[in-house]
Amino acid sequence: MNAMTLSPQGIEWLKKVEGQRLQPYDDQTGKPISAWVQGATVGYGHLILRNEWERLGGGVSLEQAEALLRHDLAPFEQAVSRAITVTQSQCQFDALVILCFNIGGGNFARSSVVKLINNPKAVTTFPTLEAAWMAWTRSQGKVMKGLVNRRGAEWRMYSTGAYTHW
């Protein structure tokens, strides 16, 4: 399969969903931070590694936020390209990269979503691909309304090509 990349439309969709924060914040609470914590985030959802804190802890410019997002997307584009063995349209690939970006490459690769896309007759605990997709709505063990909304919008992108939000 040719190496696809997230389309400009997919990047704009993701930027709107992730939100732009040029100062570091705690991803779990959304509150600004002045010292590194697990979940320290900046830009468009960039998780700040401990060894990046000195460079990114004081905040980033809009240009740096864009560069971080493009850099962050590459491994997720590759993960989708590796995991999915059947041809996908651009909107389907975009939705898969956005899902992978949110749930992580390992979770994505092991997911029922991947199994059902590659083999619609695969046996999973979900009756449909949509049900498998919509199962990714928990954070710290609790169903989160924001994740329910996000999964629904991603599913619409995947299934209908609509790059809409909620």
Side-chain angles (χ1 to χ4, degrees), residues 82-160:
R82 271 193 312 272
I84 302 298
T85 59
V86 296
T87 301
Q88 298 292 292
S89 67
Q90 185 66 57
C91 65
Q92 290 172 325
F93 181 81
D94 287 353
L96 289 165
V97 170
I98 290 166
L99 174 66
C100 185
F101 182 78
N102 192 240
I103 70 173
N107 287 333
F108 178 80
R110 293 184 297 273
S111 73
S112 293
V113 168
V114 169
K115 289 180 183 114
L116 288 166
I117 288 172
N118 288 337
N119 176 7
K121 292 185 167 78
V123 176
T124 73
T125 56
F126 301 99
T128 64
L129 176 57
E130 182 179 6
W133 197 296
M134 294 302 296
W136 291 96
T137 56
R138 294 178 184 273
S139 177
Q140 299 180 339
K142 297 187 196 112
V143 172
M144 307 297 277
K145 180 68 173 150
L147 290 176
V148 171
N149 293 340
R150 181 178 177 135
R151 294 291 99 82
E154 291 165 355
W155 176 252
R156 281 190 300 282
M157 185 187 302
Y158 184 86
S159 61
T160 72

Side-chain angles (χ1 to χ4, degrees), residues 41-96:
T41 304
V42 74
Y44 297 102
H46 175 76
L47 283 173
I48 304 171
L49 302 174
R50 188 184 297 269
N51 66 357
E52 293 178 316
W53 183 256
E54 191 174 315
R55 183 170 53 91
L56 302 176
V60 296
S61 68
L62 186 54
E63 294 75 23
Q64 287 171 309
E66 298 265 349
L68 284 169
L69 177 61
R70 291 187 189 280
H71 180 266
D72 288 348
L73 283 170
F76 298 102
E77 292 165 335
Q78 292 163 8
V80 170
S81 293
R82 271 193 312 272
I84 302 298
T85 59
V86 296
T87 301
Q88 298 292 292
S89 67
Q90 185 66 57
C91 65
Q92 290 172 325
F93 181 81
D94 287 353
L96 289 165

